């Protein structure tokens, strides 16, 4: 699957960087203005969980980074990870997700990463061609994004709840959708750019 190989190689710079972006965002968010003045009953509890949430997200993404390498190995391209200059569109994804923004926007962008990863994973795992090409270890990144504990909130759900709670006044549906759509569009543009690379021979820089 040439398209999948292109995706794995070209999206590697983001996968490699994302755990570091979470660490940077966590430092900014937790050292920022205290939220004790907000009038939401569950905000105090949610904010106590924020540190654990962000650390948990970072740990997950570090593990997912290793699973991405396994997928690359399954496709025979692990030795090429990081060898090509990142696509401009992938750099735009990195810039958007890592941008120093308010807590509400930052959390929603993290939620978007999970939404995109889950959607991609569900699509590929339903593909017979994907399953015929990628072995069990190579599928683990994708399986991880569609497998959820039966009880408790996922990091995505908790991040969304926290984002909604800390926005004063409570955000409108349009405000939430605008941020998520903006981030999704960056991923879409990067995906299209990955597909365009299939029309050109790979060059190393």
């Amino acid at each position: 699957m040439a398209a999948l190989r292109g995706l794995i190689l070209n999206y590697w710079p983001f996968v490699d960087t994302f755990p570091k972006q979470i660490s940077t965002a966590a430092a900014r968010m937790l050292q920022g203005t205290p939220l004790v003045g907000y009038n939401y009953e569950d905000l105090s509890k949610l904010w106590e969980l924020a540190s654990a949430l962000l650390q948990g997200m970072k740990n997950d993404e570090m593990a997912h980074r290793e699973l991405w390498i396994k997928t690359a190995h399954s496709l025979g391209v692990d030795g090429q990870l990081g060898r090509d200059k990142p696509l401009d569109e992938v750099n735009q994804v990195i810039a958007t997700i890592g941008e120093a923004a308010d807590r509400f926007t930052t959390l929603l962008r993290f939620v978007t990463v999970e939404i995109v990863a889950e959607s991609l994973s569900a699509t590929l795992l339903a593909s017979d061609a994907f399953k015929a090409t990628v072995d069990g270890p190579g599928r683990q990144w994708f399986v991880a994004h569609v497998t959820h504990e039966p009880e408790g909130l996922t990091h995505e759900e908790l991040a969304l709840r926290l984002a909604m709670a800390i926005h004063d006044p409570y955000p409108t549906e349009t405000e939430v959708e605008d941020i998520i759509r903006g981030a999704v569009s960056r991923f879409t543009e990067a995906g299209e750019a990955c597909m365009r690379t299939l029309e050109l021979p790979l060059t190393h820089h």
Side-chain angles (χ1 to χ4, degrees):
M1 298 180 71
L4 181 58
R5 293 185 184 94
L7 178 74
I8 294 300
L9 290 174
N10 287 305
Y11 254 111
W12 168 249
F14 172 69
V15 174
D16 186 37
T17 301
F18 189 40
K20 304 167 194 172
Q21 292 185 319
I22 295 174
S23 292
T24 301
R28 286 198 302 257
M29 292 170 65
L30 298 175
Q31 292 173 9
T33 305
L35 298 174
V36 293
Y38 285 76
N39 297 317
Y40 297 102
E41 292 182 2
D42 64 343
L43 180 59
S44 177
K45 180 179 179 181
L46 281 172
W47 196 241
E48 289 175 3
L49 292 172
S51 180
L53 163 67
L54 293 167
Q55 184 60 50
M57 290 180 69
K58 177 188 174 184
N59 291 343
D60 276 359
E61 295 309 323
M62 289 177 66
H64 293 165
R65 178 185 180 279
E66 297 305 311
L67 295 180
W68 193 270
I69 294 172
K70 286 187 177 183
T71 303
H73 179 73
S74 176
L75 294 168
V77 296
D78 49 315
Q80 298 178 49
L81 290 173
R83 291 175 59 183
D84 289 316
K85 179 182 176 181
L87 298 176
D88 290 342
E89 292 82 358
V90 172
N91 278 334
Q92 284 295 318
V93 170
I94 294 170
T96 297
I97 301 303
E99 180 184 15
D102 59 84
R103 291 163 170 147
F104 173 69
T105 300
T106 296
L107 286 167
L108 287 184
R109 286 173 175 166
F110 287 175
V111 168
T112 303
V113 174
E114 298 306 314
I115 291 172
V116 170
E118 185 170 339
S119 176
L120 172 66
S121 298
T123 299
L124 289 177
L125 289 170
S127 164
D128 290 335
F130 173 79
K131 289 181 283 189
T133 303
V134 182
D135 61 18
R139 297 179 205 163
Q140 290 177 2
W141 186 91
F142 305 91
V143 172
H145 285 91
V146 296
T147 303
H148 305 298
E149 295 294 331
E151 298 180 1
L153 295 173
T154 65
H155 288 155
E156 174 189 336
E157 292 166 336
L158 187 53
L160 179 60
R161 286 186 60 190
L162 181 59
M164 301 291 280
I166 64 178
H167 192 282
D168 189 19
Y170 198 77
T172 65
E173 185 174 328
T174 298
E175 288 175 306
V176 174
E177 288 181 349
D178 283 349
I179 292 171
I180 291 177
R181 268 201 303 263
V184 167
S185 69
R186 293 298 191 193
F187 281 99
T188 301
E189 291 163 3
E192 292 171 349
C194 289
M195 294 302 295
R196 288 196 296 272
T197 66
L198 301 178
E199 303 169 6
L200 302 169
L202 286 176
T203 58
H204 301 297
H205 301 267

